[in-house]
Amino acid sequence: MPKTRTSTPADGSVRTAPRPRSKIERRRSRQRVGVVIGLVLGAIFAAAPVLWMLASSFKSNTEIFEFPPRLITDNFSFDAYTAIFSDPEKVQFFVNSYVVSFSVTTLTLLVAIHAAYAFSRFDFPGKRPINMVIVSVQAVPPITLLIPYFGIVVALGLYNTYPGLILTYMVFTLPYAIIMLTGYLNTIPKELDEAVRMDGAGSLTALWRVLVPVSVPGIVSVGVYTFMIAWNEYLFALTLTRTQDMRTVPIGIQLLMGQHSYEWNEIMAMSILGSVPVLVLFLFFQRYFISGLTSGSVKS
Amino acid sequence: MQDVIVAPAPPAATPQPPRKRRPFRKTAEPFGFLAPTLVLMFVLMVIPVVLVVGYSFMDNVILTKEPEFVGVDNFVTVLTDGVFLTAIRNTLFFTISSVVAHLVIGLGFAMLLNSPLIGTVSRAIFRALYILPWLFTAAVIAVLWRMLLAPNGVVNFLLDTDVEWLASPALALGTVTFINIWAGYPFFMVSLLAGLQGVPAQLHEAATVDGANGWQRFWSVTIPQLRPIIISLTLLDLIWTSQQFALIWMTTGGGPVNVTEMLSTYTYKLAFSRYEFALASTSAVLVLLMSMVLAFFYVRHQRAED
């Protein structure tokens, strides 16, 4: 920041202001201008493409590449959205994505909460190595697993079925869910469930009657994240399904690119609709979401 | 959006009372709770990794019932394949450029958002806008940028150019890298913002009293305070970005003429376009080894932090 030599403030307020603004105040206001310019440029970089996608979904297909391009065109309409909702094949993409994502979320939470309970409340031989395996599993590249999965899924007759996708997605969601839920259970005082166990209730009762109810925020945030991973998955959905009626939304979007002529407005509408669940979840659970995400990489 | 690897903090072992023989039921109980996880991990991780490593030393796998052992032949074939070497070079360029840019942009935006000169409301609004790219899945990001970057698209209009961004051999790699940068910086931004908010204000005040200017404070206070977060994020991002498949597959598919071929697309094509499952397994094992090296450093770093 260069130092100004003149004593007159840039805005000329010296004549009306009873006391001249201090050097520090002037520097502050110049800094503020810099920050605001930076923020606005950043916002354009981040949000303009998204805005263009939204605007394009309301255009007619010919208007998308009109010259010069306009954000809002004459034929503003919801036609692209209507076209998607009235095509059973495209609605099926959404049905598939919801079935798979909800199943993965439910199963992951059910399996993970028990594993997290074991890690958080019990000592057992092999605890550390098992934990290490679960952590490092997350770094295994999906492409490495895909080849044997393809063989296994075909051999088990799960190719092109919901269970094939649901089962394989759990390799991504389960480690994350276990680690996060273990962390969450560790924050809950042991006395709480030990008291119940002292009273003669079994461990399972202590988990479901005491720990699960007080862990709802943690379970919800892990559930949201699990849902998103499943909703967004591409590689396995591409490879482990074959027929149009089994495809999920990300593959559906890609299929629209290939079909007949490019219906860009429909592709954009589909992209918006395909992003709505994640956007809504993020909107409602932003706080949990960000704290859950950063808890790993950020140490207080 | 990317999968997230978080918090490998192993649960703190409870301080053990002097060892007593515990009844069998007590020891067995946690394994009861772990059983579904252990079964799933065995089926979804142990068996597949053993299989893929096995396949990499064989021929005629998956498609035929009589695989034969061929030793390291597949490794020789893959490692001497020019396209594989190109894929390594492209993956390195793509990954390192993306990670550096994610860090620089993420830190820049985080510092803007953390500036005391803006109000709470505008901070919330800008933060929401900056997070936007991260909320879209790779399929959406791919079709969006294909529209924006089309020869008659809005980017060419604004720049007054007439360029095939994704189809030109000279530009395609840079273009997909740019798209990946746009899609991935918010993860850094969100984490670094949380980190910046944890930097004690007294440190900055002390540095100011000592006569440090903004630039000096940045290098001697902000960066050292954020160092552990930056290292974690960088390692995580190296792991993810080097595994990126969907974005490449749906924008360029590895083309034109292999200029955007990555290890992931190369492996995928070997398996599912050429049906060379044995060679694909070999390539997949090599990718696995690279990821494991990165994961080793990540876990070690996290351990050191704990």
Side-chain angles (χ1 to χ4, degrees), chain B residues 182-249:
Chain B
W182 182 82
Y185 75 83
F187 175 65
F188 273 72
M189 183 192 79
V190 167
S191 304
L192 290 170
L193 182 57
L196 281 173
Q197 285 161 351
V199 176
Q202 301 96 291
L203 284 179
H204 279 287
E205 282 156 20
T208 314
V209 170
D210 289 346
N213 63 28
W215 188 246
Q216 288 165 331
R217 284 204 308 275
F218 174 75
W219 284 108
S220 59
V221 177
T222 311
I223 292 293
Q225 285 288 312
L226 292 179
R227 218 180 77 99
I229 309 176
I230 290 175
I231 294 175
S232 299
L233 290 173
T234 304
L235 286 168
L236 282 179
D237 202 28
L238 284 172
I239 296 173
W240 291 330
T241 310
S242 60
Q243 298 174 358
Q244 177 61 264
F245 170 82
L247 188 68
I248 313 287
W249 192 247

Side-chain angles (χ1 to χ4, degrees), chain B residues 57-112:
Chain B
F57 293 103
M58 292 188 224
D59 207 351
N60 297 325
V61 296
I62 295 189
L63 293 181
T64 64
K65 292 271 177 267
E66 304 92 33
E68 48 180 304
F69 183 78
V70 294
V72 293
D73 284 9
N74 292 329
F75 286 88
V76 174
T77 311
V78 168
L79 288 169
T80 54
D81 181 356
V83 182
F84 180 76
L85 302 177
T86 308
I88 288 190
R89 217 171 40 235
N90 292 341
T91 307
L92 279 176
F93 173 85
F94 177 77
T95 306
I96 293 170
S97 314
S98 294
V99 172
V100 170
H102 285 161
L103 175 61
V104 171
I105 297 174
L107 184 58
F109 283 3
M111 289 181 67
L112 282 174

Side-chain angles (χ1 to χ4, degrees), chain A residues 28 31-32 35 38-40 42-43 45-47 49-50 52-53 56 64-65 67-69 111 114-115 117-119 122-125 127-128 130-132 134-152 167-168 170-172 174-176 178-180 182 186 190 203-204 225 228-229 232 234-235 238-239 250 253-254 257 262 264 267-268 271 275 278-279 282 286 289-290 292-299, chain B residues 1-12 14 16 22 27 29-31 33-34 36-38 40-41 43-45 47-49 51-52 55 62 105 109 112-113 115-118 126-127 129-137 139-140 143-148 150 152-154 157 178 182 185 187 190-191 194-195 229 232-233 239 243 245-246 249-250 264 267-268 271-272 277 280-281 284 287-288 291-292 295 299 302-303 305-306:
Chain A
R28 288 225 125 196
Q31 278 178 345
R32 178 176 283 125
V35 167
L39 280 170
V40 170
F45 171 74
V50 178
W52 197 259
M53 167 165 69
S56 300
I64 287 193
F65 290 119
F67 190 89
V111 174
H114 289 99
Y117 183 48
F119 279 122
F122 293 89
D123 242 334
F124 49 90
K127 181 170 173 174
R128 259 185 104 79
I130 296 175
N131 188 66
M132 283 298 292
I134 289 174
V135 170
S136 45
V137 153
Q138 297 181 104
V140 175
I143 190 82
T144 304
L145 297 172
L146 183 66
I147 296 160
Y149 278 7
F150 181 72
I152 294 170
L167 186 69
T168 50
M170 287 184 72
V171 79
F172 301 129
L174 201 51
Y176 166 82
I178 293 172
I179 292 163
M180 292 308 294
T182 306
N186 283 342
K190 283 190 167 55
S203 304
L204 207 57
Y225 209 81
M228 288 184 184
I229 292 174
N232 289 334
Y234 177 82
L235 179 62
L238 176 70
T239 318
I253 292 170
Q254 188 210 1
M257 294 288 292
Y262 286 8
W264 279 103
I267 295 171
M268 290 303 128
S271 298
S275 308
V278 174
L279 290 169
F282 184 78
Q286 210 188 117
F289 191 77
I290 289 178
L293 245 176
T294 51
S295 65
S297 39
V298 182
K299 305 273 166 171
Chain B
M1 192 175 315
Q2 293 163 307
D3 307 348
V4 164
I5 311 178
V6 197
T14 41
Q16 286 207 337
R22 279 179 297 181
T27 324
E29 198 168 32
F31 284 103
F33 295 125
L34 272 175
T37 301
L38 295 177
L40 279 168
M41 282 298 139
V43 173
L44 293 174
M45 187 54 62
I47 294 180
V49 169
L51 279 177
V52 78
Y55 291 162
I62 295 189
I105 297 174
F109 283 3
L112 282 174
L113 290 175
S115 163
L117 299 172
I118 56 166
F126 279 109
R127 196 184 68 170
L129 290 175
Y130 289 177
I131 286 177
L132 266 182
W134 192 44
L135 299 178
F136 296 94
T137 184
V140 171
V143 292
L144 168 59
W145 282 96
R146 278 175 72 168
M147 178 181 74
L148 297 173
N152 49 352
V154 66
F157 171 78
F178 172 83
W182 182 82
Y185 75 83
F187 175 65
V190 167
S191 304
I229 309 176
S232 299
L233 290 173
I239 296 173
Q243 298 174 358
F245 170 82
W249 192 247
M250 281 181 284
S264 59
T267 310
Y268 186 85
F272 298 100
F277 284 102
S281 298
V287 175
L288 175 67
S291 293
M292 285 298 115
V299 172
Q302 292 288 339
R303 279 270 174 94
E305 286 296 301
D306 291 330

